[in-house]
Amino acid sequence: MAYKPLDEKTVIDYIKSRPKVWGVLFDKDAELEVKEVGDGNLNLVFIVTNRKNPEQTVVLKQALPYLRVAGDSWPLTRERMRYETQALLKYNELAPGLVPKVYDHDEEMSLVIMENLKEHEIMRKGLVARKRYPYFVDHITTFLVNSLFYTSDLYLTGPEKKLLQAKFVNEQLRKLQEDFVYTNPYMDSPENNWNPLVDDEVQAVRSDGELKMAIAEMKDAYMNHSEALIHADLHTGSIMLNERDTRVIDPEFAFFGPMGYDVGAVLQNLVLNYLSHYGHTEDPEVREEYQEYVLSMVRDIWNEFARKFDETWKNNNRGELVPNKYWDFPGGEEAFAEFRKRYIHRILQDTAGHGGTKFLRRMMGIVSVWDITSIEDPEKRAVAERAAIHIGRRWVLERKSVDSIDDLVEIVREEYKKVAG
Amino acid sequence: MAYKPLDEKTVIDYIKSRPKVWGVLFDKDAELEVKEVGDGNLNLVFIVTNRKNPEQTVVLKQALPYLRVAGDSWPLTRERMRYETQALLKYNELAPGLVPKVYDHDEEMSLVIMENLKEHEIMRKGLVARKRYPYFVDHITTFLVNSLFYTSDLYLTGPEKKLLQAKFVNEQLRKLQEDFVYTNPYMDSPENNWNPLVDDEVQAVRSDGELKMAIAEMKDAYMNHSEALIHADLHTGSIMLNERDTRVIDPEFAFFGPMGYDVGAVLQNLVLNYLSHYGHTEDPEVREEYQEYVLSMVRDIWNEFARKFDETWKNNNRGELVPNKYWDFPGGEEAFAEFRKRYIHRILQDTAGHGGTKFLRRMMGIVSVWDITSIEDPEKRAVAERAAIHIGRRWVLERKSVDSIDDLVEIVREEYKKVAG
């Protein structure tokens, strides 16, 4: 079927034409109800439900042949839906239950039909509302370890890895991140915007030679360190969850890049939420308690990630990088353990570098995060933003001397205290 | 035309069927003379000459559908000829005159028709015979800078780089190097062989935990640091030259990897030649003089590479990594200069790490180099080999503290002196 954007009417005929869906997920006599809920600029998102049995429901997501951000039109082909679908399928294989199920997909139509997560909410919203998610640390670390380890040279053979990597060229969406995370925010560029109250901080970043060299180094690593299949946009807006269940969504940016980028995205978004409660939560006791909860997640996620990563590697060392036989010498077992430790420590330093850069881009680039933008008082917002800039700067510049996650958490506390008192 | 290995007879009809060759490079009444000069295991190599006018001559190289090394058969598809051809075409574009001209190629037949370098010899042979090549430093550094810089993110846009990289998946030949350079030599593997007189050194390397962690780190970088299109087998057997002219050949291993791997291959092969004169050149004065010449090339190649790389970057900064506008702030010009300096310094450290590993693999892996194997006296050979192992070990372990090429040259002198007296 040649590509054509669907609408609330044509989507019904389309659904009825799909043998994996019609008569399988929906009864043959279903009465389909359709709601378009996408933002209309990038993708169409239809929720399709059987009026007779609302348990029968799917999401159909279709790419539009362009991306409109901040008034500019970017020449993004519909290929991005192929990358999203490939990544979702891979994630369903490696981390089942932690991503939406994929029911059907259609490359020509640039669409995927998947599970409707109707009992989940976007994590960002829940965190601003001070919700707690007792299984989140366990779930997200399993997602991170499984998606990263099993697509790396630690598990795949050389040819397996290269052939999988060849399916994720994704040159257009990668270019977006290269521009919007690592380049444009730090120089004059029309789409940048920031709170005028932090203009001094923004200008200081833009003329800090040492910091800009470090950001350029992180950009080089982002572009060229092809460790594993990364989600590449794993902020708390790409996570849907509830108290029991966690799902990672929207992996259209996926490509083979540095593991620390995904880990850094999760941690850095949690820290931005921590900072945002300066504006969202008035009662100091309530605020501090929730902020401590958020920081404890930051710490626990790293530590649990490191533990699971090491254990998974130790027990599944079938990849190209170092076969078990390579360590077959007196002291070899200890050397392998030490090698794993150093490798994971290096991921922590990458987490600091990439995560640190992402703090800065959010404060002075094309788009901030809702946690921050939803603070109505610009003065309060500026406090959170000022701290974010200071924290980002230090995570980037001090990345090579980071010993443990506690170092990164300590930077958060110190810089928050300096500006929030 | 479906794939079929050619022979000395069928190659004539084949040549006559090619409109880019017959009537163009050869007169229509040419009398073709054919000699097969390949080793018969990996590729067929035909030299085709017009008996009536020997200036009319080409080389036709055709891949066989397997690779036979050391009695083992590796399942290498003929795809490698596509990679070699693509790389040769790219090199002709970026470094014309420093690779053989490509006249014609045929993907289905897995062959390329190219310039016959009849006035050139393999560099290894010339170096063992103590020849001097006054233009080599200039030529090889131009080749390195042009092939590496112009295929990196320093010159290409993000999408240009990714799309070019997607043409060099080359998973099979990469696996060979991953095995034979970074893995098998350091563990028990049937194809390894070494001089029994250096058995102590070989065993010491195989059970040196710190060294093996470092080699595994270099392997990780080799596999995952996709900086630029590298030749990936740039030893002095892949260079044909004479006093005036230099050509790089055989780029079938080409892929996007670390720049330091190619630079390290050149320098490390020169140092192996330096060491080999312990066995090849009896007269101590003649020996020392030539050895100093070889070491001066090592030093000059690095320094000239660094100078040309920096200059080329400064004047052609159109790539994705850091646009000129990024450095547009007070002190930005100096920051960009410092960033280039650090980047090039990091290539030197990679050169030490990858080059160092390659010393070791040559001494204890599947295949040494002719400079060394042609030393008849096993005792003398062992002296060169022992020094090579010590140098390789130190280049790898000390790579992160290398400040200049002089540090690497000094290690060569020290370790050679220790074992050769």
Side-chain angles (χ1 to χ4, degrees):
Chain A
M1 191 175 198
Y3 176 80
K4 217 183 117 173
L6 294 171
D7 59 35
E8 293 193 356
K9 277 182 189 151
T10 54
V11 78
I12 293 184
D13 289 337
Y14 182 81
I15 288 280
K16 290 185 175 174
S17 77
R18 303 299 294 182
K20 284 186 185 167
V21 180
W22 190 243
V24 180
L25 301 168
F26 292 109
D27 299 336
K28 288 262 184 184
D29 66 351
E31 279 175 30
L32 298 187
E33 185 176 70
V34 180
K35 245 195 311 190
E36 209 279 304
V37 298
D39 61 8
N41 284 328
L42 173 57
N43 298 301
L44 297 167
V45 181
F46 300 96
I47 295 179
V48 184
T49 306
N50 180 2
R51 232 184 245 112
K52 293 171 162 177
N53 178 359
E55 290 303 301
Q56 298 181 357
T57 178
V58 301
V59 163
L60 185 152
K61 184 172 175 183
Q62 183 179 34
L64 289 168
Y66 50 79
L67 163 67
R68 199 171 293 274
V69 192
D72 265 320
S73 193
W74 299 83
L76 282 186
T77 67
R78 293 177 283 114
E79 266 206 333
R80 67 185 189 281
M81 187 51 74
R82 180 161 61 81
Y83 293 118
E84 175 162 352
T85 304
Q86 286 179 175
L88 280 174
L89 291 169
K90 194 75 199 165
Y91 287 159
N92 266 289
E93 182 191 323
L94 299 177
L98 297 169
V99 286
K101 278 187 205 131
V102 172
Y103 300 130
D104 199 0
H105 55 97
D106 182 338
E107 191 172 329
E108 271 196 86
M109 282 287 281
S110 299
L111 66 78
V112 61
I113 301 176
M114 59 187 164
E115 193 176 358
N116 178 10
L117 301 172
K118 59 187 191 311
E119 295 173 359
H120 300 67
E121 70 177 338
I122 291 289
M123 188 175 197
R124 221 182 264 303
K125 301 268 173 184
L127 290 173
V128 168
R130 292 191 304 275
K131 292 199 186 165
R132 297 192 182 222
Y133 301 104
Y135 296 105
F136 178 67
V137 170
D138 184 38
H139 290 163
I140 198 68
T141 53
T142 296
F143 174 80
L144 287 166
V145 168
N146 288 13
S147 62
L148 299 176
F149 175 83
Y150 290 107
T151 59
S152 77
D153 289 300
L154 310 179
Y155 182 75
L156 299 177
T157 67
E160 284 169 353
K161 163 99 179 291
K162 275 99 179 164
L163 295 173
L164 183 60
Q165 186 178 353
K167 292 168 72 181
F168 288 91
V169 176
N170 211 353
E171 75 282 359
Q172 294 182 345
L173 287 190
R174 285 165 76 180
K175 167 78 172 143
L176 278 191
Q177 300 289 58
E178 290 158 10
D179 282 347
F180 290 150
V181 179
Y182 292 99
T183 316
N184 295 12
Y186 317 105
M187 65 188 200
D188 195 32
S189 192
E191 80 283 5
N192 290 334
N193 72 83
W194 62 95
N195 184 343
L197 294 173
V198 298
D199 189 59
D200 282 356
E201 280 80 4
V202 169
Q203 300 310 333
V205 167
R206 291 201 180 141
S207 59
D208 183 337
E210 197 59 48
L211 180 59
K212 289 182 77 166
M213 283 190 269
I215 291 169
E217 256 187 52
M218 295 320 298
K219 182 178 183 183
D220 193 17
Y222 179 76
M223 295 203 285
N224 288 308
H225 197 191
S226 54
E227 279 187 315
L229 180 65
I230 68 171
H231 180 287
D233 199 29
L234 194 50
H235 51 74
T236 45
S238 295
I239 297 169
M240 292 187 74
L241 79 181
N242 57 40
E243 280 202 359
R244 290 153 286 112
D245 199 54
T246 305
R247 308 295 183 102
V248 169
I249 62 169
D250 292 351
E252 71 261 40
F253 288 89
F255 76 102
F256 275 72
M259 300 184 186
Y261 189 84
D262 273 3
V263 183
V266 174
L267 302 192
Q268 169 260 340
N269 272 272
L270 289 173
V271 173
L272 282 181
N273 179 268
Y274 162 98
L275 299 175
S276 77
H277 284 284
Y278 183 84
H280 293 303
T281 306
E282 288 222 6
D283 183 321
E285 207 168 306
V286 177
R287 183 202 299 159
E288 197 182 324
E289 200 192 330
Y290 192 73
Q291 284 180 320
E292 281 308 308
Y293 166 66
V294 174
L295 273 198
S296 77
M297 283 199 287
V298 169
R299 201 187 51 232
D300 294 350
I301 288 170
W302 172 260
N303 289 331
E304 192 60 4
F305 170 80
R307 189 191 68 73
K308 286 183 183 173
F309 195 96
D310 184 67
E311 189 178 273
T312 305
W313 187 355
K314 190 179 168 190
N315 297 328
N316 301 277
N317 186 48
R318 75 177 274 286
E320 196 64 55
L321 183 55
V322 275
N324 286 328
K325 203 176 166 192
Y326 183 86
W327 303 112
D328 189 10
F329 60 92
E333 204 178 316
E334 292 75 16
F336 181 31
E338 174 67 18
F339 183 70
R340 295 196 306 273
K341 192 177 143 194
R342 291 184 193 179
Y343 189 100
I344 294 167
H345 182 220
R346 202 254 313 135
I347 300 176
L348 176 63
Q349 298 184 335
D350 291 353
T351 295
H354 294 297
T357 309
K358 286 158 74 64
F359 275 111
L360 299 173
R361 67 76 59 120
R362 289 295 187 190
M363 297 302 107
M364 56 189 78
I366 188 170
V367 58
S368 185
V369 297
W370 184 79
D371 315 49
I372 301 286
T373 56
S374 59
I375 301 173
E376 281 177 20
D377 176 352
E379 298 280 355
K380 285 193 174 169
R381 182 176 162 178
V383 168
E385 292 173 320
R386 207 167 282 133
I389 292 172
H390 295 167
I391 293 164
R393 184 176 183 279
R394 287 187 60 191
W395 277 28
V396 172
L397 287 176
E398 297 175 26
R399 70 195 184 282
K400 287 180 188 167
S401 57
V402 167
D403 273 334
S404 79
I405 187 66
D406 297 336
D407 293 346
L408 295 182
V409 169
E410 193 48 35
I411 290 172
V412 173
R413 287 191 205 283
E414 279 174 26
E415 297 301 330
Y416 178 70
K417 205 174 164 199
K418 272 187 212 162
V419 298
Chain B
M1 190 175 196
Y3 177 78
K4 217 183 116 175
L6 294 171
D7 60 34
E8 293 194 356
K9 277 183 188 149
T10 53
V11 77
I12 293 184
D13 289 337
Y14 183 81
I15 289 279
K16 290 186 175 175
S17 78
R18 304 300 293 183
K20 284 187 184 167
V21 179
W22 190 242
V24 180
L25 301 167
F26 292 109
D27 298 336
K28 288 262 185 183
D29 66 351
E31 281 175 28
L32 298 187
E33 185 176 70
V34 179
K35 245 194 313 190
E36 209 280 305
V37 298
D39 61 9
N41 285 326
L42 173 57
N43 297 302
L44 297 166
V45 181
F46 301 96
I47 295 179
V48 183
T49 307
N50 180 1
R51 230 184 248 113
K52 291 172 163 177
N53 179 358
E55 291 302 303
Q56 298 181 357
T57 179
V58 300
V59 163
L60 184 152
K61 185 173 175 182
Q62 183 179 33
L64 288 167
Y66 49 79
L67 162 67
R68 198 171 293 276
V69 193
D72 265 319
S73 194
W74 300 82
L76 283 187
T77 67
R78 293 176 284 115
E79 267 205 334
R80 67 186 189 280
M81 186 53 73
R82 179 160 62 82
Y83 293 117
E84 175 163 350
T85 304
Q86 286 179 174
L88 281 173
L89 290 169
K90 195 75 198 163
Y91 287 160
N92 266 289
E93 183 190 324
L94 300 177
L98 295 169
V99 286
K101 278 186 205 128
V102 173
Y103 300 130
D104 198 1
H105 56 96
D106 182 338
E107 192 172 329
E108 271 197 87
M109 283 288 279
S110 297
L111 65 78
V112 61
I113 301 175
M114 59 187 164
E115 193 176 359
N116 178 13
L117 302 171
K118 57 188 193 310
E119 294 174 0
H120 300 68
E121 71 177 338
I122 291 289
M123 188 174 197
R124 222 181 263 305
K125 301 270 174 182
L127 290 173
V128 168
R130 293 192 302 277
K131 292 199 185 165
R132 297 190 181 224
Y133 301 104
Y135 295 105
F136 177 68
V137 169
D138 183 39
H139 290 163
I140 200 69
T141 52
T142 295
F143 175 80
L144 287 167
V145 168
N146 287 14
S147 63
L148 300 175
F149 175 83
Y150 289 107
T151 60
S152 76
D153 290 299
L154 311 179
Y155 182 75
L156 299 177
T157 66
E160 284 170 352
K161 163 96 179 292
K162 275 94 175 168
L163 294 174
L164 182 60
Q165 186 178 354
K167 292 169 74 180
F168 287 92
V169 176
N170 210 352
E171 75 282 359
Q172 294 182 346
L173 287 190
R174 285 165 76 179
K175 167 77 173 145
L176 277 190
Q177 301 289 58
E178 289 158 11
D179 283 347
F180 291 149
V181 179
Y182 292 99
T183 318
N184 296 11
Y186 317 104
M187 65 188 200
D188 196 31
S189 193
E191 80 284 6
N192 289 334
N193 72 83
W194 62 95
N195 184 344
L197 294 173
V198 298
D199 189 59
D200 282 358
E201 279 79 5
V202 170
Q203 299 310 334
V205 167
R206 290 199 181 143
S207 59
D208 182 336
E210 197 60 46
L211 180 59
K212 289 181 76 165
M213 284 190 269
I215 291 169
E217 256 187 53
M218 295 320 300
K219 183 177 183 183
D220 194 16
Y222 178 75
M223 295 203 285
N224 288 307
H225 196 191
S226 55
E227 280 187 314
L229 180 66
I230 68 171
H231 180 288
D233 198 30
L234 194 50
H235 52 73
T236 44
S238 295
I239 297 169
M240 293 186 74
L241 78 181
N242 56 39
E243 282 202 357
R244 289 153 288 113
D245 198 54
T246 305
R247 307 296 182 102
V248 170
I249 62 169
D250 292 351
E252 70 261 40
F253 287 90
F255 75 103
F256 275 72
M259 300 185 186
Y261 190 84
D262 273 3
V263 182
V266 174
L267 301 192
Q268 169 260 339
N269 272 271
L270 289 173
V271 173
L272 282 181
N273 179 269
Y274 162 99
L275 299 174
S276 77
H277 283 285
Y278 184 84
H280 293 305
T281 305
E282 287 222 4
D283 183 322
E285 207 167 307
V286 177
R287 183 202 299 160
E288 197 181 323
E289 199 192 331
Y290 193 73
Q291 284 179 319
E292 282 305 310
Y293 167 66
V294 174
L295 273 198
S296 77
M297 282 199 288
V298 169
R299 200 186 52 231
D300 294 350
I301 287 170
W302 173 261
N303 289 331
E304 191 61 3
F305 170 81
R307 189 190 66 74
K308 286 183 185 174
F309 196 96
D310 184 67
E311 190 177 274
T312 305
W313 188 353
K314 190 179 168 189
N315 296 327
N316 301 275
N317 187 48
R318 74 177 275 287
E320 195 65 54
L321 184 55
V322 275
N324 285 328
K325 202 176 167 191
Y326 183 87
W327 304 112
D328 189 9
F329 60 91
E333 204 179 316
E334 293 74 17
F336 181 31
E338 174 66 19
F339 183 70
R340 295 197 305 273
K341 192 177 143 193
R342 291 184 192 178
Y343 190 100
I344 293 167
H345 182 219
R346 202 254 314 135
I347 300 177
L348 176 64
Q349 297 184 335
D350 291 352
T351 295
H354 294 298
T357 310
K358 286 159 74 65
F359 275 111
L360 299 172
R361 67 76 61 120
R362 289 295 188 190
M363 298 301 107
M364 56 189 77
I366 187 170
V367 58
S368 185
V369 296
W370 184 79
D371 316 48
I372 300 285
T373 56
S374 60
I375 300 173
E376 282 178 18
D377 177 352
E379 298 279 354
K380 285 193 174 169
R381 182 177 161 176
V383 168
E385 291 172 320
R386 207 167 283 133
I389 293 171
H390 295 168
I391 293 164
R393 184 174 182 281
R394 287 187 59 192
W395 277 27
V396 172
L397 287 176
E398 298 174 25
R399 69 193 183 284
K400 287 179 188 169
S401 57
V402 167
D403 274 333
S404 79
I405 187 64
D406 297 336
D407 293 347
L408 295 181
V409 168
E410 192 50 34
I411 290 173
V412 173
R413 286 191 206 281
E414 278 175 27
E415 297 301 330
Y416 177 70
K417 204 173 164 199
K418 272 188 210 160
V419 299

